[in-house]
Amino acid sequence: MNILILGNGGREHALAWCCSCDARVDHIWVAPGNAGVDREQRCATVDIDPLDTVALIDFIHKQKIDMTIVGPEAPLVQGVVDRLQEAGCAVFGPCQEAARLEGSKSYAKSFMAKHGIPTASYAVFEDANAAREYLRTQPLPIVIKADGLAAGKGVVVAQTEAEAESALHSMLEDQRFGSAGARVVIESFLEGEEASFIVVVDGKHALPLATSQDHKRIFEGDLGPNTGGMGAYSPAPVVTAEVHQRVMDRIIMPTIQAMADAGHPYTGFLYAGLMINAQGDPYVVEFNCRMGDPETQPILMRLESSLPELIQAALDKRLDEYAITWSNDVALGIVLAAPGYPDQPVIGQPADRLTQDAQANCKIFWAGLKSTSTGIITSGGRVACVTALGHDVASAQQTALAYIDKLGPTGLHFRRDIGYRAIKRTI
Ligand code: AMP
Ligand code: GLY
């Protein structure tokens, strides 16, 4: 079996590595991938832009690719699945219409309102003055979101009116996110603890992956601006068996049913970013139409089943017959980020220290790293994710930190407190 994976982050390195763990897979290509992919057995990068559907289809036919897995949201939102399917290729991901759940926050909110899926109350604006007027009627804190894709950076949780006004100004008037911020969603602030709930969907059935929790803020103690994610761990203890059932009943199954009823059944990974309140009631903070980054890294470290086999079961629409198995260990990933991330990451720095080999219980997934004639250099904001297994969160965290400390000075920024909420629960 030959597999093509689209994307270039740590998530895609992890997807490629996980596919390579199944010895029945012959070749895994990642377009365009990153320098970490080439280090895995039977894996290689191929320099094709995931948005270039003509080149992708040509490659899929020439290399006899049996299955394409789409990592990031941008190609999904632009319809890569529709184009590949029209060309007769087996591809795992939602169609363009279904990917709007992530591509437009205002669409996702109206979808949830229509189908009674629990989420924060909201209003949508394109006009800055109307938005300001609405703000004055709302309690603080308040959440301002760019409508379109902004790589996890288009959300401001404003503690003061001045912060909220400045977010509105930068999105609607300064066009900080271009057309993605030409419309904003203003949302009430939800209290509680977050979790990432990712399911594999075949149009009708949903198979939940292990739960996880990520840390989106740049600094320790969950302070500072939002990023794409600075670390994650799996499982998330906040998702008890009872909460899990509520998420399936109130959020996942109604979403899949509504998509099918609307004539565009959801196939692919569906990620519900949740806020779970003190009563254990889950609310949707966001939908993503893909796996999370960095959640994928710890989740896949725990997967004992074959990922290609799981995805094949989804493509064959028989997920209801598939039993997935997980390691009982906890996995925890710590992101190493370029200085200046998320606003202005400094790239092009030598990073040869990161080439240290993985240990049995710890692996480094590469992201913004590329090979040059003079060695490995940084090429993106999030550079790598050091992911460790342990019998509990604290031991997984210690293993990941020990690995990072052993690398010596890298000049990269990371948080030493990933998993602190889960650790606090156990002491
Ligand atoms: P999003 O990209 O929509 O997931 O938002 C990024 C982060 O902002 C979330 O992970 C939360 O930490 C925070 N956030 C977003 N919406 C809300 C909300 N309504 N209430 C509280 N926090 C939120
Ligand atoms: N880690 C958050 C995301 O992938 O959207």
Side-chain angles (χ1 to χ4, degrees):
M1 175 188 258
N2 294 325
I3 297 175
L4 173 65
I5 295 167
L6 307 187
N8 66 355
R11 167 183 50 211
E12 287 75 23
H13 181 187
L15 285 165
W17 163 78
C18 195
C19 288
S20 79
C21 293
D22 185 332
R24 293 166 296 183
V25 176
D26 299 302
H27 288 291
I28 298 146
W29 304 91
V30 189
N34 63 50
V37 168
D38 292 312
R39 291 159 53 92
E40 302 296 341
Q41 285 184 8
R42 292 171 285 126
C43 295
T45 54
V46 49
D47 191 17
I48 303 177
D49 180 345
L51 299 179
D52 185 348
T53 49
V54 174
L56 289 174
I57 291 166
D58 187 50
F59 183 81
I60 289 168
H61 288 320
K62 280 205 182 108
Q63 297 295 332
K64 301 195 168 28
I65 300 290
D66 299 288
M67 171 194 294
T68 298
I69 306 168
V70 188
E73 62 279 15
L76 293 166
V77 169
Q78 296 211 14
V80 71
V81 168
D82 310 58
R83 300 294 88 73
L84 266 54
Q85 277 176 346
E86 284 155 15
C89 309
V91 52
F92 189 61
C95 63
Q96 186 167 27
E97 190 59 33
R100 286 177 76 202
L101 278 181
E102 175 165 4
S104 165
K105 290 194 189 279
S106 58
Y107 168 80
K109 294 298 282 192
S110 67
F111 174 90
M112 288 187 268
K114 186 169 164 196
H115 299 290
I117 294 165
T119 188
S121 61
Y122 76 108
V124 179
F125 296 94
E126 288 173 15
D127 177 73
N129 287 329
R132 283 193 194 98
E133 231 166 82
Y134 174 78
L135 259 189
R136 278 183 214 113
T137 66
Q138 296 300 307
L140 292 165
I142 187 124
V143 187
I144 320 278
K145 301 184 173 184
D147 184 52
L149 297 182
K153 293 157 207 159
V155 175
V156 174
V157 179
Q159 302 294 337
T160 64
E161 207 170 308
E163 270 180 74
E165 296 232 0
S166 130
L168 280 179
H169 175 72
S170 84
M171 289 180 200
L172 289 174
E173 290 166 337
D174 267 359
Q175 288 157 13
R176 173 162 176 229
F177 300 107
S179 60
R183 181 184 294 160
V184 299
V185 172
I186 302 184
E187 204 175 270
S188 62
F189 180 79
L190 294 167
E191 304 270 359
E193 187 169 341
E194 286 184 71
S196 303
F197 198 101
I198 306 173
V199 294
V200 183
V201 191
D202 66 6
K204 190 170 171 196
H205 314 104
L207 188 61
L209 296 179
T211 59
S212 58
Q213 189 170 126
D214 82 338
H215 290 264
K216 290 210 172 69
R217 305 297 189 103
I218 186 81
F219 300 124
E220 284 171 15
D222 291 327
L223 300 173
N226 267 319
T227 69
M230 291 301 295
Y233 57 95
S234 170
V238 64
V239 185
T240 58
E242 192 180 13
V243 172
H244 199 281
Q245 195 59 49
R246 288 178 182 171
V247 177
M248 290 302 289
D249 294 345
R250 298 178 191 174
I251 295 169
I252 301 297
M253 293 321 293
T255 299
I256 292 166
Q257 187 64 49
M259 281 285 164
D261 291 347
H264 29 79
Y266 196 102
T267 305
F269 296 107
L270 175 65
Y271 167 146
L274 304 173
M275 189 70 81
I276 296 152
N277 72 10
Q279 290 73 44
D281 291 316
Y283 290 80
V284 177
V285 172
E286 64 168 345
F287 275 127
N288 294 319
C289 58
R290 51 170 174 83
M291 286 194 77
D293 190 341
E295 290 95 325
T296 301
Q297 293 84 319
I299 289 175
L300 293 186
M301 283 279 278
R302 296 185 55 219
L303 181 67
E304 287 177 345
S305 310
S306 153
L307 181 64
E309 198 180 80
L310 166 64
I311 292 179
Q312 191 60 55
L315 289 171
D316 296 341
K317 307 205 179 309
R318 44 176 184 80
L319 275 182
D320 52 329
E321 296 164 17
Y322 196 84
I324 197 164
T325 55
W326 299 99
S327 154
N328 286 328
D329 278 345
V330 170
L332 181 140
I334 301 176
V335 168
L336 305 177
Y341 177 74
D343 288 332
Q344 283 172 323
V346 179
I347 60 171
Q349 314 276 75
D352 284 316
R353 282 179 187 275
L354 303 189
T355 57
Q356 182 178 304
D357 279 340
Q359 308 152 198
N361 59 353
C362 184
K363 185 158 172 69
I364 179 162
F365 293 109
W366 290 18
L369 284 168
K370 71 174 182 192
S371 289
T372 66
S373 53
T374 55
I376 304 290
I377 62 166
T378 61
S379 59
R382 288 190 291 173
V383 169
C385 181
V386 174
T387 311
L389 287 170
H391 59 270
D392 60 15
V393 191
S395 77
Q397 185 201 59
Q398 269 165 23
T399 303
L401 285 172
Y403 182 95
I404 295 170
D405 290 338
K406 222 167 82 188
L407 295 174
T410 57
L412 300 171
H413 166 71
F414 64 96
R415 288 178 50 171
R416 301 191 80 89
D417 68 343
I418 301 301
Y420 74 88
R421 281 203 185 81
I423 294 172
K424 245 195 293 188
R425 276 173 187 269
T426 58
I427 50 181

